[in-house]
Amino acid sequence: MAVTNGTDSALDPDYSSKNTLKLENTEKRDTLITIEKKYQEKWQRSGVFQANAPTTTEVPLGSISPSDLRKKHPKYFGTFAYPYMNGTLHAGHSFTASKVEFTAGFSRMQGKRTLFPLGFHCTGMPIKACADKLVENVREFGQNFERFVEEPTDKSTAAAPAPTQAQTKEDITKFTSKKSKANAKTTKMKYQFQIMLALGIPREEIHRFADANYWLRYFPPLCQKDLNSMGARIDWRRSFVTTDANPYYDAFVRWQMNRLKELNKIQFGVRYTVYSPKDGQPCMDHDRTEGEGVAPQDYTALKLKVKEWAPKAAELVTGKIPSGADVFFVPATLRPETMYGQTCCFVGPKIKYGIFKVSESQYYVVTKRAAWNMAFQGTFFSSDKFPRDASELEPVVELVGSDAVGTIVIPPLSIHTEGVRILPMESVLPTKGTGVVTSVPSDSPDDYATIKDLAKKAEYYGIKKEWAELEIPEIVSTPSYGNLAAKFLVEKMKINSPKDTKQLAEAKDLAYKEGYYKGTMLVGEYKGQSVEHAKPKVREFLLKSGQAFEYAEPNGHVVSRSGDECVVAYLGQWFLNYGENDPEWRQRVMDYVAGDLESYTSETRNGFEKNLEWLNRWACARTYGLGSKLPWDPKFLVESLSDSTIYMSYYTIAHFLHSDIFGTKPGIFNIKPEQMTDEIWDYLFCRRELDEKLLKDCGIKKSELESMRREFEYWYPLDMRISGKDLIPNHLTFFLYVHLALFPREYWPRGIRANGHLLLNGEKMSKSTGNFLTLSDAVKKYGADASRIALADAGDGVEDANFEETVANSSILRLFTLKEWCEEVTKDDSLRQGSPDGFWDQLFENELTTLVREAEQHYEATNYKLALKSALYDFTNARDFYRESSTAAGVGMNRSLVLRYIELQALVLTPIAPHWADYIWQEVLHKPDTVQNALYPTVPDPLPALTAARDYVRQTSSSITSAEGAQLKKKDKGKTIAFDPKLPKKLTIYAASRYPTWQEKYIDLVRAELEKTGLDGGGGAGADKELNGKIAKMGEMKKAMPFVQALKRRIVQGGEKPDAVFNRKLAFDELKTLKEMAPGLKRTTGCRVIEVVSVDEGGKVGSVVLADEGVGSKREGLPMSADAAVPGNPGFHFENVDS
């Protein structure tokens, strides 16, 4: 039976975007997309994005140092993490890619040779695991899954765990990272073929993906097609697939691993690692569908020997446990130093436990989950005989926790040497630790609250009260909470019950931190020592004496790509020696992060610093999946995060080696994979020089080797690495470690820019909710440039960004309308000819100059949201203001200035909207070459006088029209009005001829402050406070403070010369500006008459400077608005006049 219609609709690839914005009229979008496709084809055909270093013919190798070569021929080399080839690219991929893309576009305009390459990541488990699942799907359901029958949906949900055990930090000495990306890697689809259907793969083609190699052939071309449809400036000549599917890249990875091993950066040892029993190998971050970032949590597993069984438990074990054998309850603790204070041992009364055989004489009582973890740590099986299935580990006896309540056990180190009781604790979790919890009520608020509750309700819990009332000894002295920290905190925080989980979680955190960092031991061999120093010593004693053993488990839920729930295994493995075991290496990286590395934000730098503090050895090999074989131990493959640390260097020479992604076709040079020996890689990457023996052994021409080395030493170091912030804890840190280990310092990465995750319409992207967008979907829906604008608008920090579909949609209309305007206005013969030297021309040209500079600064700082504002929104607003003002003034727009605007608009938008820009550049402005080769415009410094005049015009016009609008609102509400805006009216503008005398003393104050601190923040907040204090003492704070702030703004932000400001001069001629504004104001306000009056000090007398008649006459008895006028801030007065 085939899949039902209901299931088919859920698996329809369009289902994942069913709740995104729906478009109706697409004519304008289609016009823009036609243009975009035309220019994409042109760019690809011309190879405009293919970048090369200066050749050795142009600049012989060795004739100039690499650093001098890069100065003489500036370059930019940027990359983002190559995408994994198990699907198509989604909007999140394109958001990260856009950061490299926009920077590459701007770098080209700076005259830099710009390289933006991209490869395809195929290493690791995901592809192989999916292919293997499809093998099973085909076997079970047929080649086209025709035998599949839909199963009923399971709607059951798991209960949330108690915060005290599941939501508090495990070990305060270790850094942890919570990842929304990892949490999002879940799917409700049970079978792999269903996932493939949802990806849009035709049903009849899915069976081909059962061959892992088919994935490598299918998805890379789609990735390239999608990025080309976005207009990405990628040099595709340098692309490749990872794994041994490309023998050249395979040789590169083997060289890398060999050299790291020689440097003792790769070692073999026995250690704890997250492990998949089903796959029979470690399961690292990129091998997981759940649990990215989850690491092993180390515990001390105590052995509490059973002295006397509770009756029910005794009945269950009789005849099943040898009479001479020892049985131990095994709690796992993070605080071995407090074990002196054990007063009981808790079990979950409803939890199922097993008694598992360790040897003929030893048995452990733990949950089956804990026993399964122990099975991979040498407890039940040896490392060469790890089990593959849980059925291989069966308990001798099964019991529930309530069966064991009342059992007497002997706890190691406890002062209660005669034994303590097994007691019930409702909040014990079967999914955490061993399910057995030892109780130390002196220092654990959870334990203290529980034993108090047990003693109070002994009958209810079915225990004897005295079992919960053993003496609580003082174990640790703390400065804040005394010698019984748990009791102190429970009473202080008024915790009345074990059910007060929120307060208990807080109390636990406080007690743990205080005890560990500030506590002093009160008992035992290490009495008087700090807890921080005593803890490892107590643990070592327990381990050596056989009273405890090491135990570890994942500190979160981990599921492998094969669907296996992972454990922690203690096994021999090859690992990269990151972290504390190679302190010199770690310190070198930490110093570089703190020093020369450009991290763009403090959050990114802090993320690296925290990660470097806790990151430790990393398993770099596995036996299942795709990849390159470990050169010295070929039964292992290099894992996916270890073969992707320095592949950016491979981009520099890839096109010389092969011309297809699989390395089956020769590149520029006819070099064979076997010729790429480790010594050749050393030479190419500046680790050694050539000699005759090496040339003879490799058989590669010297000129070809020199050309490849030139490419590396020119393009390296990598200028910008862009990735999501979730890669800081692994890939990006490994990237730094290995670069610093293998390359000379000159070639260490210059910058890492981390970005947040991408939301869609303010919500997390999710296929199941229909709020999902692939890159292909976005471009088809909105076109390339509108999508790019929405990506630029989404945000630039490490916080989560937001792709807003309404922005993309509105950008279609904006770009189309702007295109049409440019086309029409260039054909408009009515535009004013001649030199653009009129008042409105000068304001417009100066504003364009300002915005070109602003956009440039934002592009340089990689702040693309702000760059978009300056380059598009503010740029078109400036055009609109010029068009309206010049038309209102009756002079119209100047033709040469309009053409200059169109040219500048195309140039400043090129990094973000290159298709639109190139269309305007070539088909409207008729430029001979693509805008992709154009340089960023060079403009003169903006003139402060014109900037001030422009701001004055806008502010004054806004104030006048707002005042008129306010009168209309009053009239509509029936209120008394000063004039009727609908009747003939006159507008009088009052411009003050000089500043009020009272302001002189504040001028002197600001002048003194300028000489002292520069007014630019050099004196800090203290200087501002001091200035404000002086103003307050002068008794005119209310009117003086705005005046002083305005002076400071003119100097600091407006760029005006202090002498001009202090000499009581505006940067522009106010009366001349008002005369220029008058015709426009007359049209916009509908006034019959507009007059401008120059007001003398005092505001009662003035001279008419603009009027229909009476220019030069005196006016007396002026209204209050004239008295309020100051230079740069005129007053105005409306009045009705006869028609």
Side-chain angles (χ1 to χ4, degrees):
M1 180 179 177
V3 183
T4 67
N5 290 336
T7 303
D8 268 343
S9 65
L11 301 180
D12 186 327
D14 292 334
Y15 180 86
S16 63
S17 58
K18 67 183 178 69
N19 289 328
T20 59
L21 189 67
K22 300 296 183 288
L23 302 188
E24 295 179 0
N25 188 343
T26 64
E27 182 182 350
K28 295 179 175 63
R29 177 203 68 183
D30 296 342
T31 299
L32 294 175
I33 287 179
T34 300
I35 291 171
E36 290 166 354
K37 289 186 178 299
K38 174 182 176 180
Y39 280 92
Q40 287 163 8
E41 290 172 6
K42 274 190 171 186
W43 298 337
Q44 292 303 317
R45 195 165 55 247
S46 66
V48 68
F49 305 135
Q50 295 178 6
N52 299 297
T55 67
T56 53
T57 303
E58 296 173 281
V59 184
L61 193 71
S63 64
I64 185 174
S65 71
S67 60
D68 287 339
L69 179 68
R70 293 189 290 270
K71 288 176 185 176
K72 185 177 180 180
H73 302 279
K75 63 90 182 180
Y76 164 80
F77 178 21
T79 66
F80 75 103
Y82 47 19
Y84 199 78
M85 290 296 100
N86 62 344
T88 54
L89 304 184
H90 56 67
H93 289 117
S94 47
F95 176 64
T96 301
S98 73
K99 304 303 181 186
V100 190
E101 167 64 19
F102 298 152
T103 309
F106 179 65
S107 295
R108 292 176 65 92
M109 301 190 79
Q110 290 178 300
K112 297 177 182 179
R113 300 190 190 209
T114 299
L115 177 59
F116 176 15
L118 187 68
F120 307 106
H121 200 196
C122 308
T123 307
M125 283 183 59
I127 290 174
K128 177 63 173 166
C130 291
D132 288 351
K133 289 177 185 177
L134 284 173
V135 170
E136 291 300 312
N137 290 172
V138 170
R139 180 188 59 77
E140 186 174 355
F141 303 124
Q143 180 170 298
N144 294 322
F145 317 103
E146 59 274 6
R147 296 195 299 272
F148 175 74
V149 179
E150 184 180 10
E151 298 176 1
T153 303
D154 181 9
K155 297 182 179 180
S156 62
T157 56
T164 52
Q165 289 201 37
Q167 298 174 14
T168 55
K169 195 166 183 179
E170 286 291 344
D171 188 341
I172 58 172
T173 65
K174 292 187 177 180
F175 173 84
T176 57
S177 175
K178 294 181 180 178
K179 295 178 171 48
S180 59
K181 178 181 176 183
N183 295 337
K185 286 184 178 178
T186 58
T187 177
K188 294 181 179 179
M189 299 174 197
K190 182 175 181 180
Y191 297 104
Q192 183 64 37
F193 82 88
Q194 295 176 311
I195 297 172
M196 307 303 284
L197 283 171
L199 287 174
I201 310 295
R203 181 186 295 271
E204 61 275 9
E205 191 171 353
I206 291 175
H207 69 91
R208 299 176 184 272
F209 290 86
D211 174 7
N213 290 318
Y214 190 73
W215 297 67
L216 279 60
R217 297 191 295 273
Y218 186 87
F219 285 111
L222 293 182
C223 175
Q224 182 173 347
K225 177 184 175 184
D226 289 349
L227 285 165
N228 281 341
S229 74
M230 176 191 176
R233 301 172 173 92
I234 294 173
D235 184 349
W236 292 110
R237 299 174 304 158
R238 301 169 186 263
S239 299
F240 55 88
V241 293
T242 64
T243 76
D244 53 8
N246 183 319
Y248 296 94
Y249 187 78
D250 186 55
F252 166 74
V253 172
R254 285 187 279 107
W255 160 79
Q256 170 190 338
M257 303 308 285
N258 279 331
R259 293 299 180 250
L260 287 169
K261 185 171 183 289
E262 289 168 7
L263 292 168
N264 206 32
K265 305 304 180 186
I266 295 179
Q267 298 177 0
F268 187 86
V270 181
R271 59 189 290 272
Y272 289 111
T273 190
V274 177
Y275 182 89
S276 166
K278 179 180 178 180
D279 301 330
Q281 65 175 12
C283 185
M284 309 312 288
D285 274 2
H286 283 192
D287 300 328
R288 306 172 185 176
T289 56
E290 286 184 61
E292 188 173 343
V294 171
Q297 173 65 63
D298 300 330
Y299 290 95
T300 303
L302 293 166
K303 296 166 68 173
L304 278 63
K305 183 179 177 181
V306 173
K307 180 179 179 181
E308 180 183 320
W309 285 107
K312 179 65 174 176
E315 182 181 329
L316 290 170
V317 303
T318 300
K320 296 181 180 178
I321 305 292
S323 58
D326 293 328
V327 181
F328 299 91
F329 279 76
V330 183
T333 182
L334 294 168
R335 303 199 63 187
E337 76 283 1
T338 65
M339 293 302 100
Y340 300 99
Q342 295 175 86
T343 64
C344 67
C345 180
F346 294 128
V347 293
K350 298 177 182 178
I351 293 175
K352 289 184 179 180
Y353 294 88
I355 302 179
F356 294 89
K357 181 179 177 181
V358 180
S359 66
E360 294 298 330
S361 60
Q362 285 198 64
Y363 293 78
Y364 291 165
V365 182
V366 292
T367 60
K368 186 158 187 177
R369 172 189 165 278
W372 186 235
N373 265 276
M374 292 177 185
F376 299 90
Q377 297 168 28
T379 300
F380 305 115
F381 298 87
S382 61
S383 60
D384 59 340
K385 294 182 180 179
F386 281 164
R388 287 296 184 98
D389 188 88
S391 62
E392 298 178 53
L393 180 67
E394 293 294 340
V396 176
V397 177
E398 286 188 302
L399 68 164
V400 294
S402 58
D403 295 336
V405 170
T407 296
I408 301 175
V409 292
I410 307 298
L413 300 184
S414 174
I415 66 164
H416 298 292
T417 56
E418 294 302 312
V420 299
R421 297 280 180 170
I422 300 292
L423 298 179
M425 187 183 202
E426 296 287 349
S427 60
V428 172
L429 293 173
T431 55
K432 188 178 182 67
T434 62
V436 180
V437 180
T438 191
S439 173
V440 183
S442 59
D443 292 270
S444 169
D446 293 309
D447 296 352
Y448 185 81
T450 299
I451 64 163
K452 288 300 177 185
D453 190 57
L454 289 171
K456 188 190 302 183
K457 304 174 184 177
E459 186 175 347
Y460 171 79
Y461 287 110
I463 66 169
K464 294 182 179 179
K465 184 178 182 182
E466 58 267 26
W467 292 355
E469 290 186 327
L470 296 187
E471 177 192 352
I472 301 175
E474 297 177 352
I475 306 301
V476 175
S477 173
T478 64
S480 301
Y481 311 136
N483 297 349
L484 292 171
K487 180 177 185 293
F488 178 90
L489 286 166
V490 167
E491 292 175 353
K492 180 183 179 183
M493 298 174 71
K494 298 180 180 179
I495 297 171
N496 299 314
S497 160
K499 295 180 180 179
D500 295 336
T501 53
K502 185 177 180 180
Q503 299 100 304
L504 280 170
E506 183 182 351
K508 175 183 178 180
D509 192 49
L510 292 171
Y512 197 173
K513 286 181 178 177
E514 178 81 6
Y516 182 78
Y517 290 113
K518 299 178 182 180
T520 303
M521 297 297 296
L522 295 174
V523 297
E525 185 180 347
Y526 307 105
K527 178 179 178 180
Q529 294 188 19
S530 69
V531 168
E532 191 172 358
H533 288 94
K535 178 177 179 175
K537 297 176 182 177
V538 174
R539 183 172 193 264
E540 184 179 7
F541 169 78
L542 287 167
L543 297 176
K544 284 186 175 180
S545 65
Q547 298 179 80
F549 59 94
E550 294 181 355
Y551 170 70
E553 65 182 29
N555 62 6
H557 190 235
V558 180
V559 177
S560 75
R561 297 278 181 177
S562 61
D564 187 32
E565 184 171 349
C566 293
V567 297
V568 166
Y570 188 65
L571 75 166
Q573 59 188 277
W574 293 103
F575 57 84
L576 277 152
N577 199 29
Y578 301 136
E580 61 188 7
N581 294 294
D582 192 335
E584 186 278 331
W585 194 15
R586 178 170 70 172
Q587 191 60 49
R588 193 189 321 163
V589 178
M590 293 182 78
D591 290 344
Y592 192 62
V593 168
D596 293 341
L597 181 70
E598 172 59 71
S599 55
Y600 295 91
T601 67
S602 58
E603 294 93 336
T604 298
R605 187 178 301 278
N606 292 340
F608 277 118
E609 289 173 347
K610 289 179 180 178
N611 192 51
L612 286 164
E613 288 174 4
W614 74 268
L615 179 68
N616 215 322
R617 294 169 170 173
W618 184 268
C620 62
R622 41 163 175 60
T623 57
Y624 175 79
L626 304 179
S628 297
K629 291 182 173 62
L630 209 56
W632 60 88
D633 199 348
K635 67 176 177 289
F636 288 107
L637 298 169
V638 181
E639 66 94 26
S640 62
L641 282 169
S642 299
D643 83 335
S644 56
T645 54
I646 58 169
Y647 66 87
M648 312 85 201
S649 60
Y650 187 81
Y651 285 134
T652 65
I653 49 85
H655 59 307
F656 289 112
L657 302 177
H658 50 84
S659 58
D660 71 322
I661 61 175
F662 295 102
T664 59
K665 299 177 183 177
I668 296 172
F669 301 143
N670 191 25
I671 297 172
K672 294 179 173 56
E674 58 268 22
Q675 292 177 282
M676 298 303 295
T677 64
D678 287 356
E679 291 72 24
I680 291 299
W681 292 110
D682 283 339
Y683 170 72
L684 297 183
F685 297 145
C686 302
R687 290 169 51 87
R688 63 161 292 167
E689 296 304 322
L690 278 179
D691 57 35
E692 290 303 320
K693 184 178 185 305
L694 181 56
L695 281 170
K696 182 180 178 181
D697 290 345
C698 73
I700 303 173
K701 295 177 183 178
K702 181 178 180 181
S703 61
E704 294 176 349
L705 290 172
E706 288 181 341
S707 293
M708 289 192 285
R709 175 148 169 172
R710 162 57 55 81
E711 285 279 322
F712 170 76
E713 67 180 21
Y714 176 71
W715 291 115
Y716 250 56
L718 184 65
D719 295 286
M720 180 186 286
R721 176 66 171 173
I722 297 183
S723 292
K725 63 184 178 183
D726 55 295
L727 294 184
I728 291 176
N730 44 59
H731 164 69
L732 289 175
T733 302
F734 302 169
F735 161 80
L736 288 175
Y737 260 114
V738 180
H739 268 87
L740 270 60
L742 291 182
F743 294 116
R745 197 182 197 289
E746 181 179 354
Y747 303 107
W748 292 357
R750 285 179 176 167
I752 297 177
R753 192 184 191 285
N755 54 258
H757 302 304
L758 186 69
L759 304 176
L760 179 59
N761 303 322
E763 302 289 338
K764 187 176 80 172
M765 279 202 291
S766 169
K767 292 181 180 179
S768 62
T769 63
N771 191 53
F772 190 81
L773 207 60
T774 65
L775 172 56
S776 176
D777 291 338
V779 172
K780 287 175 184 175
K781 193 171 186 178
Y782 301 110
D785 283 341
S787 296
R788 292 168 67 109
I789 287 171
L791 288 168
D793 183 75
D796 293 304
V798 296
E799 65 278 358
D800 288 349
N802 182 30
F803 184 98
E804 196 68 59
E805 286 191 278
T806 54
V807 172
N809 192 30
S810 64
S811 297
I812 295 172
L813 178 61
R814 185 184 294 273
L815 291 173
F816 182 84
T817 305
L818 187 55
K819 175 189 80 73
E820 285 205 322
W821 182 85
C822 291
E823 291 168 337
E824 292 167 3
V825 78
T826 54
K827 300 172 185 175
D828 188 352
D829 295 333
S830 68
L831 292 177
R832 177 165 43 92
Q833 301 291 336
S835 176
D837 52 10
F839 175 75
W840 299 108
D841 300 336
Q842 291 177 30
L843 288 193
F844 182 42
E845 188 169 20
N846 189 71
E847 185 167 12
L848 293 181
T849 296
T850 301
L851 292 174
V852 167
R853 288 287 185 89
E854 278 184 12
E856 183 176 26
Q857 291 169 1
H858 296 318
Y859 279 131
E860 286 178 341
T862 69
N863 291 327
Y864 302 112
K865 187 179 179 76
L866 294 175
L868 176 68
K869 179 179 181 296
S870 299
L872 180 58
Y873 304 135
D874 292 347
F875 229 78
T876 52
N877 286 342
R879 186 274 317 260
D880 293 344
F881 180 74
Y882 173 57
R883 179 175 56 185
E884 293 160 8
S885 300
S886 61
T887 301
V891 296
M893 297 187 292
N894 177 270
R895 179 174 181 79
S896 64
L897 189 53
V898 166
L899 291 175
R900 178 61 173 160
Y901 157 76
I902 295 174
E903 180 176 322
L904 290 175
Q905 179 68 91
L907 289 170
V908 296
L909 258 187
T910 293
I912 294 174
H915 309 84
W916 184 93
D918 215 356
Y919 173 83
I920 297 298
W921 191 252
Q922 294 195 62
E923 299 189 39
V924 176
L925 297 175
H926 305 294
K927 302 289 186 179
D929 191 16
T930 173
V931 78
Q932 298 281 12
N933 290 331
L935 296 178
Y936 197 83
T938 301
V939 294
D941 292 336
L943 298 176
L946 291 174
T947 301
R950 177 203 65 197
D951 293 343
Y952 176 85
V953 170
R954 286 180 170 163
Q955 181 179 340
T956 303
S957 299
S958 176
S959 298
I960 290 171
T961 54
S962 296
E964 187 180 25
Q967 292 299 310
L968 279 172
K969 287 181 180 179
K970 282 187 176 183
K971 182 181 179 182
D972 291 342
K973 293 179 180 179
K975 296 182 179 180
T976 304
I977 54 176
F979 71 98
D980 190 339
K982 296 185 178 180
L983 296 177
K985 55 188 180 290
K986 169 185 176 182
L987 170 64
T988 305
I989 303 174
Y990 301 102
S993 59
R994 58 175 297 176
Y995 288 94
T997 305
W998 67 265
Q999 294 178 352
E1000 295 292 341
K1001 54 190 173 185
Y1002 296 102
I1003 293 283
D1004 294 337
L1005 187 64
V1006 174
R1007 183 187 284 111
E1009 188 69 17
L1010 175 67
E1011 294 172 355
K1012 183 178 178 181
T1013 69
L1015 294 179
D1016 59 356
D1024 283 340
K1025 189 174 181 181
E1026 183 181 346
L1027 178 63
N1028 294 345
K1030 292 177 181 178
I1031 295 171
K1033 289 179 180 178
M1034 297 167 81
E1036 298 171 305
M1037 191 75 169
K1038 190 172 182 180
K1039 66 178 181 179
M1041 183 55 72
F1043 171 67
V1044 168
Q1045 294 299 329
L1047 290 177
K1048 291 175 67 176
R1049 276 196 302 272
R1050 288 178 62 186
I1051 296 170
V1052 177
Q1053 299 172 14
E1056 296 182 46
K1057 293 182 179 179
D1059 286 345
V1061 175
F1062 294 145
N1063 290 336
R1064 322 294 273 146
K1065 288 184 179 180
L1066 291 175
F1068 62 98
D1069 187 326
E1070 184 175 13
L1071 293 176
K1072 179 182 176 182
T1073 301
L1074 286 171
K1075 289 177 183 178
E1076 295 284 357
M1077 291 174 63
L1081 287 172
K1082 200 168 188 178
R1083 293 184 64 171
T1084 55
T1085 62
C1087 287
R1088 296 290 181 86
V1089 180
I1090 289 188
E1091 293 185 350
V1092 176
V1093 177
S1094 176
V1095 182
D1096 297 336
E1097 185 175 1
K1100 302 302 180 186
V1101 180
S1103 302
V1104 178
V1105 296
L1106 177 69
D1108 291 344
E1109 56 184 30
V1111 173
S1113 61
K1114 288 285 185 181
R1115 291 279 178 87
E1116 297 182 352
L1118 300 180
M1120 291 180 61
S1121 55
D1123 184 38
V1126 294
N1129 189 13
F1132 53 88
H1133 176 71
F1134 281 101
E1135 58 185 303
N1136 290 119
V1137 295
D1138 294 334
S1139 58

